[in-house]
C-alpha cells in the first residue's frame, strides 16, 4: 500500500461496466436488482467470470490513470451493489423471491428469508485478492449493510425486521473480518436505506451496524446516500439520518454533497470522523472542471480539517457513460491537486 496524500481521492464503490459485458440499457431501465439478474450479462456463463475479471482490470487501470489514491474493484462483477452478497447467503430463497417496496415507492422482487441468515463461505475475498494483486495503491472493498439488506428482503422466518437485520449483521461481520485478513486497507458498508427509512434505522439499524463492526480491526467506512441519481431523481436538501452515525464505530462516513448542495454544517456533528466527501455530481454526464471539484471540496474546510477529508464521487458511477466517468475521475484527481497546492 502506498502512503496516502492529503485529501486522498476515491470512488465510492462502483465504476462503469463495459457494454460488451452487461446490457446497460436493460440495467438502467429497471430498479437495481435485489435478486439475481443473470439476464443482464452479455457473456456466456462459462466465460463470464473471466470476462468480469478482464473488465475489473480495466476499471482498476482507469482509476490509476486518473490518479485516484484509493482504488476499488469497481463492483464490476455485481448486478447491483447489494444483490451479489445478499443472494450468496444461506437462509434466503432467491429462486422463489418475495416482494419489498423500493426507496422509489415501487415493489421490487427481493430475496425471501426462509431460514437463519448465515454466511457459509467468504463472498468477496477472491475479488479483494484480485484487486490487491493488481495494484500497489490503497484498496477498498464494499459490502452491503445489514439494515439495508433487511429492508431489501421479505422476512418469512424471523419474528421481526430487527431480528433479520441482526442476522445479516453477523454475516457482514464475518465477511469484513475475512476481507481485512486478506489484505483490504478499507472496508465500506453501504447503508443507503438508513437515509430512506430513518425511523427504522434509529430503532434498530444502528444496533445492526454496530454488530456488523463489532471487534473489527481495520479502517471502516459507512456510505449513506440518496440513491443512484439515474434512478432516484427527487433529491432532498439534507439528510434525514446522519448525526446518528457520530456514535457508530466506523472510522469514516461517506456522504454526497455535489448534486444536493448539502449544507455542510452537518459535519459538525461528525467531528470525530473522517468524511468521505462526495464532490462529483452523478446526475449530469457533463464532466465538471477540476476547479468546480475543488470548490466543492473547499466548502468543507469551514467545518472539518483537510486531514479528515477523502474526496470522492457522490455515489456509485455504474450508470454513467464510460467517457463521462473517465473524465469525472480525472477532474476528481485534478481538483484534489488544486486544493493540495493551495494548502501548501
Amino acid at each position: 500500500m502506498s502512503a496516502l496524500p492529503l485529501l486522498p481521492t476515491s470512488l465510492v464503490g462502483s465504476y462503469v461496466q463495459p457494454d460488451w459485458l452487461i446490457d446497460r440499457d436493460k440495467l438502467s431501465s429497471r430498479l437495481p436488482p435485489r435478486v439475481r439478474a443473470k439476464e443482464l450479462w452479455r457473456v456466456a456463463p462459462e466465460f463470464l467470470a473471466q470476462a468480469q475479471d478482464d473488465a475489473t482490470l480495466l476499471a482498476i487501470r482507469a482509476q490509476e490513470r486518473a490518479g485516484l489514491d484509493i482504488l476499488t474493484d469497481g463492483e464490476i462483477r455485481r448486478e447491483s451493489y447489494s444483490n451479489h452478497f445478499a443472494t450468496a447467503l444461506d437462509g434466503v430463497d432467491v429462486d422463489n423471491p418475495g416482494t419489498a417496496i423500493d426507496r422509489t415507492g415501487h415493489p421490487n422482487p427481493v430475496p425471501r428469508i426462509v431460514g437463519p441468515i448465515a454466511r457459509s463461505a467468504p463472498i468477496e475475498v477472491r475479488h479483494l485478492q484480485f484487486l490487491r494483486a493488481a495494484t500497489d495503491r490503497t484498496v477498498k472493498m464494499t459490502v452491503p449493510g445489514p439494515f439495508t439488506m433487511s429492508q431489501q428482503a421479505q422476512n418469512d422466518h424471523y419474528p421481526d425486521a430487527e431480528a433479520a437485520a441482526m442476522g445479516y449483521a453477523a454475516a457482514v461481520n464475518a465477511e469484513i473480518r475475512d476481507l481485512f485478513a486478506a489484505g483490504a486497507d478499507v472496508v465500506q458498508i453501504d447503508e443507503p436505506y438508513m437515509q430512506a427509512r430513518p425511523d427504522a434505522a434509529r430503532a434498530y439499524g444502528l444496533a445492526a451496524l454496530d454488530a456488523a463492526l463489532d471487534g473489527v480491526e481495520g479502517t471502516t467506512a459507512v456510505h449513506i446516500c440518496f440513491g443512484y441519481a439515474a434512478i432516484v431523481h427527487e433529491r432532498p436538501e439534507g439528510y434525514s439520518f446522519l448525526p446518528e452515525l457520530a456514535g457508530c464505530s466506523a472510522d469514516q462516513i461517506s456522504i454526497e454533497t455535489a448534486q444536493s448542495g448539502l449544507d455542510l454544517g452537518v459535519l459538525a456533528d461528525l467531528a470525530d470522523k473522517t468524511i468521505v466527501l462526495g464532490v462529483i455530481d452523478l446526475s449530469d454526464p457533463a464532466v465538471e472542471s477540476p476547479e468546480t471539484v475543488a470548490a466543492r471540496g473547499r466548502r468543507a474546510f469551514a467545518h472539518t480539517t483537510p486531514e479528515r477529508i477523502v474526496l470522492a464521487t457522490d455515489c456509485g458511477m455504474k450508470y454513467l457513460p464510460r467517457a463521462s466517468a473517465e473524465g469525472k475521475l480525472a477532474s476528481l484527481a485534478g481538483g484534489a491537486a488544486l486544493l493540495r497546492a493551495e494548502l501548501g
Side-chain angles (χ1 to χ4, degrees), residues 68-284:
L68 267 59
D69 304 297
I70 304 168
L71 273 54
T72 78
D73 70 345
E75 301 178 4
I76 298 297
R77 302 176 185 88
R78 309 183 197 181
E79 295 140 9
S80 80
Y81 71 96
S82 63
N83 78 323
H84 176 83
F85 189 92
T87 59
L89 297 171
D90 298 338
V92 298
D93 186 342
V94 295
D95 297 316
N96 301 285
T99 302
I101 301 300
D102 205 272
R103 68 187 296 166
T104 63
H106 297 89
N108 205 4
V110 296
R112 191 165 59 90
I113 305 173
V114 295
I117 295 293
R119 190 203 68 140
S120 56
I123 297 169
E124 296 181 19
V125 165
R126 187 188 82 81
H127 305 162
L128 178 275
Q129 291 168 335
F130 185 92
L131 171 62
R132 178 74 285 166
T135 185
D136 60 359
R137 301 192 193 185
T138 300
V139 297
K140 176 176 76 173
M141 289 297 290
T142 62
V143 295
F147 176 72
T148 291
M149 283 192 287
S150 75
Q151 301 298 297
Q152 296 176 351
Q154 180 175 306
N155 175 24
D156 290 350
H157 171 75
Y158 289 98
D160 52 39
E162 179 175 359
M166 296 306 288
Y168 280 115
V172 172
N173 182 267
E175 183 76 7
I176 293 173
R177 289 169 181 261
D178 281 345
L179 287 169
F180 279 124
D185 298 309
V186 183
V187 176
Q188 174 181 299
I189 299 179
D190 292 328
E191 282 285 17
Y193 272 68
M194 285 188 164
Q195 159 63 26
R197 296 178 184 165
D199 292 340
R202 292 184 190 98
Y204 59 88
L206 273 176
L209 177 62
D210 284 336
L213 293 168
D214 183 48
V216 167
E217 294 183 5
T219 301
T220 54
V222 177
H223 174 64
I224 185 168
C225 68
F226 302 120
Y228 288 113
I231 304 295
V232 182
H233 303 294
E234 296 297 323
R235 322 294 282 187
E237 293 182 358
Y239 279 93
S240 58
F241 188 94
L242 189 60
E244 293 87 346
L245 291 173
C248 80
S249 57
D251 305 291
Q252 304 179 354
I253 308 298
S254 172
I255 61 174
E256 0 176 353
T257 72
Q259 184 187 352
S260 63
L262 185 73
D263 178 0
L264 296 187
V266 298
L267 298 186
D269 297 316
L270 302 170
D272 294 333
K273 304 294 187 186
T274 292
I275 302 300
V276 183
L277 192 74
V279 291
I280 297 294
D281 185 351
L282 305 181
S283 67
D284 185 355

Side-chain angles (χ1 to χ4, degrees), residues 320-336:
L320 282 177
R322 192 165 170 181
S324 173
E326 290 179 353
K328 285 175 178 284
L329 288 189
S331 288
L332 175 59

